[in-house]
């Protein structure tokens, strides 16, 4: 379940304007919203790393790793990517990919090797890639090089976490005021889990406080973020 962008927008405005501290324009809000969502999303992967160092909880619904995986689940994608002989050996990865999980061919995982390793492995008779044990090297521009290069058109399965869609609070101007327009073709809610609503509000407030030069708005956002972290780590 995604997070409704209008709920977040209204909360941010209500808190920022509580004492006439300043107005956050829709354009500013959308920029802050994108940054806040990206920060929270990237923190999921850091959280997975840190959760391995903490004691496990037998209750799935309260286990930190399980909660993060639940939030990441909507972003998990398995996509077939075909490599034609004209492209050999360069496989173009999906443009919406955020983090690559693995590449498989006929159910076998294609192993990733570093650029400085490939020259060594390809020259070693026991380590050299073959059709039953393919490898790939990450290149620039979202491209990987497959070894050995397929001699026929080949379909790979790429598993990855996609990037969240850029949130967009769309509006129409009525009597000089911006009113939410959910039916606009480019309207976009946050793709993050609904439980992240307050986290989004706090992060956007923190960013907005810097822009409108109101330290108390900034502090309102950071205080709630710090309190949430303390409660989660206690």
């Amino acid at each position: 379940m995604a997070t409704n962008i209008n709920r977040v927008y209204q909360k941010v405005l209500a808190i920022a304007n509580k004492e006439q501290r300043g107005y956050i324009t829709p354009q500013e809000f959308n920029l802050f919203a994108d940054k806040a969502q990206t920060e929270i999303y990237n923190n999921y992967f850091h959280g997975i790393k840190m959760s391995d160092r903490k004691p496990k909880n037998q209750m799935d619904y309260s286990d930190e790793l399980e909660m993060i995986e639940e939030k990441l689940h909507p972003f998990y994608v398995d996509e077939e990517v075909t490599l034609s002989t004209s492209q050999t050996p360069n496989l173009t990865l999906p443009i919406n990919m955020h983090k690559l999980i693995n590449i498989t061919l006929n159910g076998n995982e294609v192993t990733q090797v570093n650029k400085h390793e490939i020259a060594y492995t390809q020259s070693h008779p026991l380590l050299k890639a073959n059709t039953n044990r393919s490898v790939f090297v990450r290149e620039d521009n979202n491209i990987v090089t497959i070894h050995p290069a397929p001699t026929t058109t080949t379909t790979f399965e790429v598993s990855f976490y996609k990037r969240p869609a850029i949130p967009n609070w769309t509006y129409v101007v009525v009597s000089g005021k911006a009113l939410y327009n959910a039916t606009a073709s480019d309207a976009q809610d946050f793709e993050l889990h609904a439980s992240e609503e307050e986290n989004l509000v706090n992060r956007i407030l923190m960013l907005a406080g810097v822009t409108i030069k109101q330290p108390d708005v900034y502090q309102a956002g950071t205080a709630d973020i710090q309190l949430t972290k303390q409660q989660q780590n206690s």
Side-chain angles (χ1 to χ4, degrees):
M1 182 179 177
T3 302
N4 183 277
I5 193 169
N6 190 48
R7 283 176 55 86
V8 174
Y9 182 73
Q10 298 303 331
K11 286 185 177 182
V12 167
L13 286 190
I15 296 173
N17 288 327
K18 183 178 180 182
E19 297 179 3
Q20 301 298 314
R21 295 299 184 181
Y23 178 69
I24 302 167
T25 68
Q27 293 82 3
E28 289 172 334
F29 172 82
N30 284 331
L31 289 174
F32 300 152
D34 183 30
K35 180 172 174 57
Q37 176 173 253
T38 300
E39 289 177 350
I40 294 171
Y41 185 64
N42 286 332
N43 282 340
Y44 291 159
F45 300 98
H46 177 70
I48 289 175
K49 179 184 69 176
M50 298 304 295
S51 67
D52 289 335
R53 305 177 184 179
K54 298 179 181 180
K56 300 299 179 183
N57 192 312
Q58 297 300 316
M59 298 295 186
D60 287 347
Y61 62 83
S62 60
D63 182 80
E64 184 173 350
L65 182 58
E66 291 287 341
M67 289 189 289
I68 295 174
E69 289 180 343
E70 180 181 351
K71 293 176 181 180
L72 279 172
H73 179 71
F75 301 97
Y76 182 92
V77 178
D78 287 321
E79 185 171 318
E80 290 187 346
V81 180
T82 299
L83 179 62
S84 66
T85 53
S86 62
Q87 297 172 295
T88 302
N90 295 327
L91 180 71
T92 302
L93 299 174
I95 60 174
N96 64 336
M97 187 184 74
H98 177 79
K99 183 175 179 60
L100 178 65
I101 299 173
N102 60 36
I103 301 174
T104 58
L105 174 62
N106 300 324
N108 298 317
E109 184 172 349
V110 182
T111 305
Q112 179 175 349
V113 297
N114 296 326
K115 283 187 176 181
H116 69 273
E117 295 175 329
I118 192 65
Y120 171 73
T121 58
Q122 289 300 91
S123 64
H124 195 290
L126 296 179
L127 299 178
K128 186 175 182 178
N130 55 56
T131 54
N132 295 320
R133 184 172 52 81
S134 300
V135 301
F136 73 89
V137 178
R138 296 290 293 265
E139 308 288 353
D140 297 329
N141 300 319
N142 226 32
I143 291 174
V144 299
T145 300
I146 304 294
H147 298 272
T151 56
T152 60
T153 297
T154 307
T155 299
F156 295 83
E157 184 171 82
V158 180
S159 300
F160 62 97
Y161 287 110
K162 69 174 185 175
R163 288 193 301 271
I166 297 174
N168 189 27
W169 189 83
T170 50
Y171 63 96
V172 293
V173 178
V174 178
S175 301
K177 296 183 63 176
L179 300 180
Y180 182 51
N181 180 20
T183 61
S185 59
D186 56 344
Q188 177 62 58
D189 282 327
F190 293 99
E191 287 198 321
L192 298 181
H193 193 276
S195 63
E196 298 290 7
E197 182 175 311
E198 297 306 316
N199 197 1
L200 285 164
V201 170
N202 293 331
R203 286 181 180 273
I204 293 170
L205 279 173
M206 185 174 64
L207 294 168
V210 174
T211 300
I212 63 179
K213 297 182 174 60
Q214 293 296 338
D216 52 348
V217 176
Y218 173 86
Q219 291 166 3
T222 55
D224 280 346
I225 290 174
Q226 291 170 356
L227 177 60
T228 300
K229 286 183 178 180
Q230 290 175 358
Q231 291 173 340
Q232 290 175 345
N233 293 327
S234 60

